[in-house]
Amino acid sequence: MEYLNQIILRRKNGFCMPVGMVEVETPAKAQLVLTANSQMVLCGYTLSKAAVEALLAYPEEILIQILTEVLKQVDSLSGNNRSYLPFYKNFPHEVLDLTEAELYWNAILHYLSGGQIYPQLAERSAANGDNKQSYEKLLSSAGTLTVLEILDSKVAEDIAENLAYSTVGISPSDLADLQVIMEKTSVVLDYNRVSCKETAAFLSGILLNNKQDFASVQILNKTIRDIIRTAASLSGADVSLSKKPHFKSFKRSVRRQFLGLIEKQKFVAEDWKSNHTMLIRLGERLHPAEYTKQFPQTAAHFKLIRETNKIRTFNTDIERLLQQGYHWEAAEKLSQRPGDFARRLNQLLKNAFPDEQQAILGEFAKVAHKVPLNTLLQLRQFFNKAHEEKESRVFFIKGTTTKTFMKEEHNQGLPKITALEAVKICEDALTEKFKSQKRFNKVYIDPVMGDFLVPFGQRSQNKSSRPVSRGSRFKIPIGQKNTIRLFVWWKNIFRKRRIRMKTDSQSSESEQSFVTELASPEIISEDEAVTEDNIFFDLDMLEFDSLFDESFIEDEDYSFEERMVEERTDIDLSLACYDSEMKPIVDISYYNLRDKGLTHSGDIVNASGPKGAAEFIDICLDQLDERICYIIPQINVYSWQNFRELSAEESCSFGWMQIDQDDPKPLFRPRDVQFRMDIQSESNRVAPVLFDLKDKALTWLDLSVGKGLTELNNIHYTKSEFFRQMTAIRNLNKPSLETLLQLKFQAEDAIVGREEADVIFGLERGDNDQARLITPFETDVFLDYLTDCQ
């Protein structure tokens, strides 16, 4: 139940309770619930009235167990389960009061000591505190709280189905949630409804790893490319195939399963041609020649692609027709594949003669209902602006935001009448799809849903407390709390290292205990590890294996063993400020701790110890340089790891709070946290958000900004690198959640006013307390709406 509640609480603002345990309410149980709720208020949550009443009917021992579990999850969501230790304990006042010379000298001492010396180290304490206020004071100062409800356990199965049946790629955290729900519940998925190829590969990997339900694996793997994705999933490689996967060696039983899947496939020459290189690499792992008698067709097909690569394909014919100017003929042939037709429609219309454009649109209208719903929705949005002039278009490489491709487009766009006709065709096809299944009778769609984009590109999304799509833009609720406090928390990670160790059987007891301690994944300091007889190697830049070879060591009293040791991790929080024309004004980072209205808590280069380390930046909105219109935070890794390595141990998170400038203590208040994300990117630079101070709004970026040399990894050198990606995100031409919901529920004739609604899509219910509220952060719901209703 604990793992399920973690998912349900994060996604649905609720939790589940055991069934059939009812007792009489007692004062002791009421006190327990009140105490637990006061702790939740500290983290920005509170129990609903219905939840309190339901909890009081449970036996005391069950009540304690459930409340402890929920408190643990609430602490984790808000970041209250961590200690935030800044460089300057009296931040921000200490940074503002010290001279430049004192700031410089403190930083130098910290660097030279390997991150061990801090200003007034003995007086430093965790930045959490704030637990001794009265309950009434907490409620009055807490602001808007997230209300927790008790939900039916079936909600977890609904989440799993929404994620599994989504027609778009989902994020790594979504996949992890899906796996947990499959393992912890009795959910039964209809594998025929799994349409996203990447999700199908992930599910196939789970089924094959558990050695179960091979018939379902066959359903999930319909093409040779699906089988390649499944092999990539089992190898821990990228199932989107945005980069060529490296396949691991498979056991004989798994090899036979893969070869059996391929044997049942109909040989489609162009599929084998388009995946030529990956199939050759997969064949090297499957050894089809060893199973010629059992799988003769598969062995023959692998032999064919190894000997030749000259296979004519469908796309070859389309390209030939387009090069010769036969656009109508190309459209007629593309009608055999509606999805490809939709993706090439703009290219056909731009290059065709005016009299051909109507014929091409007419041909597309015949097959538009066969185009996947998510493709139609994006196509409609594209043609809404296809008549406008464009100077350039920016494309994100599939599966990542670290690479972009910019294409110059100095043209007038399509004729407006042609673009609007394409929009009409898409809308008619969408209406036909949406009419096939009615969801709700009475729905109200708050205009705020127009600020949030439909969750299409989720593959490389970081795990967030409030998941939203890149490019979503919404207001910053600035009132009395006029200071934005950014924070990043991290801790050192453990890595296997080869260590030279004394093997003399007569070694002292202390030496033996050192070996035992080092073998366990406990945090140790370098001072403890380095002794005269035990050499501890911790090289940041070079691999130990490449420098030393034990075969050259003649001393038999020493040997080399692998041990888990603590590895220094250095992460920097910084930000760049721009004017209204996006010209840089000032940077705040380790080399510049303060400026007008901006204060950095100090640079930490070693997050040793179980509590880790934290850096803060305060943005005092009332004191900023009036030229500043945009602020972009950036998180950089300087110690030769990437965020993916840190995420394995949940070792790095970023977020921001809104606080009162006159009441800056304690440094970290979980109830004031607006957003928090665990960074899981493969890069070593991330730009999470853009603050627009002119419009008092923010744009969610979640950009992973390449992989570069760490010595040039600060914001001064990299801010121009991600400027293009940031500009592309701000100008994304993607449909909003409001657009999706309007199209869907207009087709169902279900849209009513807020007071009459049974379901409200928005951030709050308003005066309608009885309606079900679906927020823009419940991404699994909208992924379900992107599923073709057929």
Side-chain angles (χ1 to χ4, degrees):
M1 185 68 77
E2 177 182 352
Y3 295 102
L4 290 179
N5 273 337
Q6 178 183 0
I7 294 170
I8 294 169
L9 199 147
R10 171 163 42 87
R11 289 182 172 275
K12 301 294 184 182
N13 293 329
F15 57 95
C16 301
M17 296 286 290
V19 179
M21 299 182 181
V22 180
E23 285 190 359
V24 179
E25 177 183 342
T26 65
K29 291 195 291 185
Q31 185 63 37
L32 276 174
V33 174
L34 182 63
T35 302
N37 199 54
S38 65
Q39 294 298 312
M40 293 180 197
V41 171
L42 284 171
C43 300
Y45 294 83
T46 186
L47 295 169
S48 69
K49 181 180 178 181
V52 171
E53 292 173 352
L55 286 167
L56 292 174
Y58 279 82
E60 188 170 324
E61 60 273 15
I62 300 296
L63 186 59
I64 293 173
Q65 178 185 342
I66 293 296
L67 290 175
T68 302
E69 179 185 314
V70 173
L71 281 171
K72 178 182 176 182
Q73 303 307 333
V74 165
D75 278 348
S76 177
L77 280 176
S78 63
N80 196 40
N81 59 335
R82 294 162 178 172
S83 296
Y84 295 81
L85 299 169
F87 189 74
Y88 289 102
K89 73 179 185 68
N90 290 320
F91 171 80
H93 303 300
E94 197 166 8
V95 178
L96 296 171
D97 294 341
L98 292 175
T99 65
E100 291 290 343
E102 289 172 319
L103 293 173
Y104 177 78
W105 180 243
N106 288 336
I108 290 297
L109 287 177
H110 183 70
Y111 298 153
L112 293 177
S113 67
Q116 299 301 317
I117 295 179
Y118 289 82
Q120 302 175 353
L121 181 61
E123 298 181 22
R124 293 175 76 242
S125 59
N128 305 47
D130 206 26
N131 290 334
K132 297 181 180 180
Q133 299 182 47
S134 68
Y135 188 52
E136 292 76 12
K137 185 176 180 182
L138 283 174
L139 287 175
S140 64
S141 63
T144 303
L145 298 173
T146 300
V147 179
L148 300 182
E149 306 279 0
I150 292 181
L151 303 175
D152 191 292
S153 58
K154 190 180 181 300
V155 72
E157 298 179 15
D158 293 339
I159 293 171
E161 292 176 355
N162 292 344
L163 294 176
Y165 303 151
S166 167
T167 56
V168 300
I170 57 179
S171 68
S173 60
D174 289 335
L175 293 173
D177 288 350
L178 176 58
Q179 183 170 1
V180 169
I181 296 172
M182 289 178 65
E183 293 171 351
K184 302 295 181 181
T185 69
S186 57
V187 61
V188 178
L189 297 176
D190 180 359
Y191 292 107
N192 288 297
R193 292 185 59 191
V194 178
S195 56
C196 177
K197 301 299 187 182
E198 295 160 35
T199 306
F202 177 78
L203 293 172
S204 297
I206 293 175
L207 295 173
L208 288 172
N209 274 328
N210 296 334
K211 300 180 181 178
Q212 62 182 12
D213 202 1
F214 188 67
S216 295
V217 177
Q218 290 178 307
I219 294 173
L220 291 167
N221 291 270
K222 298 180 175 66
T223 67
I224 190 65
R225 192 170 179 87
D226 294 344
I227 296 171
I228 295 172
R229 292 183 196 275
T230 297
S233 177
L234 285 176
S235 303
D238 179 15
V239 296
S240 73
L241 303 183
S242 56
K243 51 187 177 184
K244 299 261 188 309
H246 174 75
F247 301 110
K248 71 174 186 179
S249 297
F250 300 111
K251 296 179 181 178
R252 283 186 173 273
S253 59
V254 177
R255 278 191 246 159
R256 285 193 293 270
Q257 287 178 319
F258 272 113
L259 293 170
L261 287 172
I262 298 172
E263 187 76 10
K264 294 180 181 297
Q265 297 286 327
K266 179 181 177 182
F267 181 73
V268 181
E270 65 175 301
D271 287 352
W272 285 70
K273 151 81 175 178
S274 59
N275 299 291
H276 181 267
T277 303
M278 289 186 288
L279 281 168
I280 289 178
R281 295 292 169 260
L282 180 59
E284 292 170 354
R285 298 299 187 185
L286 299 181
H287 308 292
E290 296 180 10
Y291 301 90
T292 304
K293 292 183 179 180
Q294 194 172 356
F295 309 108
Q297 294 183 50
T298 301
H301 296 158
F302 273 104
K303 182 180 179 182
L304 174 65
I305 64 165
R306 291 187 70 86
E307 293 176 352
T308 181
N309 192 27
K310 296 179 181 179
I311 301 174
R312 185 174 174 177
T313 68
F314 180 88
N315 285 330
T316 303
D317 293 340
I318 296 298
E319 290 297 333
R320 178 177 55 80
L321 289 171
L322 292 176
Q323 288 175 7
Q324 295 174 359
Y326 298 132
H327 303 103
W328 158 246
E329 290 79 358
E332 194 174 28
K333 189 173 182 64
L334 279 166
S335 63
Q336 303 170 26
R337 299 187 178 183
D340 289 347
F341 197 170
R343 282 181 277 272
R344 285 184 178 264
L345 183 59
N346 181 54
Q347 179 187 10
L348 289 168
L349 293 175
K350 283 178 62 175
N351 296 325
F353 293 109
D355 57 334
E356 288 182 310
Q357 290 178 344
Q358 292 302 313
I360 291 170
L361 285 173
E363 192 67 26
F364 178 67
K366 297 176 185 177
V367 297
H369 65 283
K370 298 180 181 179
V371 177
L373 191 153
N374 63 302
T375 304
L376 275 175
L377 193 63
Q378 294 181 80
L379 198 65
R380 175 199 174 276
Q381 185 69 23
F382 173 82
F383 280 112
N384 252 333
K385 297 186 177 182
H387 61 282
E388 298 177 359
E389 288 189 32
K390 299 185 184 73
E391 294 184 0
S392 63
R393 288 179 65 194
V394 179
F395 302 87
F396 287 99
I397 306 302
K398 181 179 179 181
T400 180
T401 59
T402 59
K403 296 179 181 178
T404 57
F405 168 69
M406 179 173 283
K407 181 181 179 182
E408 299 297 329
E409 287 191 350
H410 297 286
N411 59 61
Q412 303 272 323
L414 288 173
K416 188 171 183 178
I417 189 171
T418 302
L420 292 179
E421 188 170 344
V423 170
K424 180 68 167 54
I425 292 171
C426 293
E427 287 182 349
D428 290 344
L430 286 166
T431 300
E432 182 180 342
K433 287 177 179 289
F434 284 137
K435 276 183 177 178
S436 61
Q437 183 177 353
K438 193 171 181 66
R439 300 279 179 166
F440 305 115
N441 293 322
K442 297 179 180 179
V443 168
Y444 174 73
I445 304 166
D446 194 308
V448 75
M449 301 299 284
D451 295 331
F452 298 85
L453 301 186
V454 176
F456 289 120
Q458 300 292 298
R459 294 183 185 90
S460 55
Q461 288 274 66
N462 285 301
K463 183 178 178 181
S464 171
S465 61
R466 294 182 177 181
V468 292
S469 291
R470 292 186 181 94
S472 294
R473 177 181 170 86
F474 40 99
K475 294 293 182 180
I476 305 173
I478 298 174
Q480 182 182 2
K481 297 181 177 180
N482 54 2
T483 297
I484 296 174
R485 175 167 288 170
L486 311 176
F487 65 88
V488 64
W489 174 92
W490 78 99
K491 66 178 179 180
N492 289 349
I493 63 173
F494 293 96
R495 196 190 296 273
K496 281 187 178 180
R497 287 296 180 95
R498 307 185 70 222
I499 301 175
R500 186 177 179 226
M501 305 179 69
K502 191 167 185 178
T503 58
D504 184 4
S505 59
Q506 303 299 320
S507 59
S508 67
E509 184 177 340
S510 62
E511 289 171 344
Q512 294 292 345
S513 64
F514 162 72
V515 174
T516 303
E517 182 181 12
L518 192 60
S520 63
E522 298 284 327
I523 295 180
I524 60 173
S525 68
E526 296 186 19
D527 292 334
E528 294 172 331
V530 180
T531 66
E532 183 178 351
D533 296 320
N534 299 285
I535 302 175
F536 172 86
F537 296 99
D538 186 9
L539 305 177
D540 284 336
M541 297 174 57
L542 301 173
E543 287 294 332
F544 179 81
D545 290 346
S546 64
L547 294 179
F548 299 96
D549 185 347
E550 56 265 40
S551 63
F552 292 100
I553 299 177
E554 299 179 357
D555 192 343
E556 296 181 355
D557 291 337
Y558 291 89
S559 66
F560 287 80
E561 295 187 22
E562 285 189 346
R563 291 290 184 264
M564 296 293 292
V565 296
E566 185 181 8
E567 181 174 280
R568 183 181 71 85
T569 306
D570 179 10
I571 291 177
D572 179 54
L573 174 64
S574 52
L575 58 80
C577 301
Y578 300 85
D579 65 12
S580 58
E581 298 179 354
M582 293 305 294
K583 294 179 180 178
I585 295 178
V586 65
D587 303 337
I588 295 295
S589 186
Y590 64 88
Y591 53 80
N592 182 30
L593 296 185
R594 61 193 182 191
D595 203 275
K596 188 177 180 181
L598 300 165
T599 316
H600 193 295
S601 66
D603 183 32
I604 297 176
V605 299
N606 188 353
S608 60
K611 294 182 178 180
E615 293 184 10
F616 297 87
I617 295 180
D618 273 8
I619 306 171
C620 298
L621 301 175
D622 297 342
Q623 301 176 13
L624 287 176
D625 187 323
E626 60 184 15
R627 295 175 298 162
I628 296 177
C629 289
Y630 303 103
I631 295 179
I632 307 173
Q634 186 174 334
I635 304 105
N636 299 345
V637 181
Y638 285 88
S639 47
W640 296 88
Q641 301 101 350
N642 63 43
F643 289 110
R644 178 63 56 84
E645 296 174 80
L646 302 178
S647 70
E649 302 179 31
E650 295 188 348
S651 298
C652 183
S653 62
F654 164 84
W656 71 89
M657 301 166 279
Q658 284 185 249
I659 64 172
D660 185 353
Q661 182 179 343
D662 298 326
D663 184 22
K665 293 289 185 177
L667 293 183
F668 183 82
R669 284 191 188 137
R671 71 168 184 265
D672 291 331
V673 173
Q674 301 297 310
F675 273 82
R676 195 188 67 79
M677 63 187 287
D678 293 324
I679 306 177
Q680 303 169 326
S681 164
E682 291 186 354
S683 73
N684 53 20
R685 285 169 281 175
V686 169
V689 69
L690 165 69
F691 292 101
D692 183 343
L693 305 185
K694 183 178 179 181
D695 293 338
K696 293 183 173 56
L698 62 87
T699 302
W700 186 250
L701 300 178
D702 194 7
L703 281 174
S704 300
V705 195
K707 304 175 184 178
L709 296 175
T710 52
E711 61 263 42
L712 298 179
N713 197 24
N714 64 44
I715 197 166
H716 178 75
Y717 289 99
T718 61
K719 60 187 176 185
S720 59
E721 180 182 347
F722 69 82
F723 183 81
R724 183 171 66 184
Q725 289 97 317
M726 180 205 66
T727 303
I729 288 284
R730 289 184 64 210
N731 297 296
L732 278 176
N733 184 19
K734 297 292 183 183
S736 69
L737 291 179
E738 184 182 28
T739 299
L740 169 63
L741 296 171
Q742 289 283 357
L743 286 169
K744 178 171 181 55
F745 292 111
Q746 278 178 358
E748 298 180 12
D749 193 23
I751 299 178
V752 297
R754 186 189 292 269
E755 296 77 13
E756 309 167 59
D758 298 324
V759 177
I760 294 175
F761 290 90
L763 295 174
E764 55 185 21
R765 290 186 178 88
D767 296 331
N768 189 346
D769 295 333
Q770 303 303 315
R772 175 189 171 188
L773 178 66
I774 299 179
T775 70
F777 311 118
E778 297 182 47
T779 53
D780 66 286
V781 172
F782 303 107
L783 291 174
D784 179 40
Y785 292 169
L786 294 175
T787 304
D788 280 302
C789 306
Q790 296 175 351

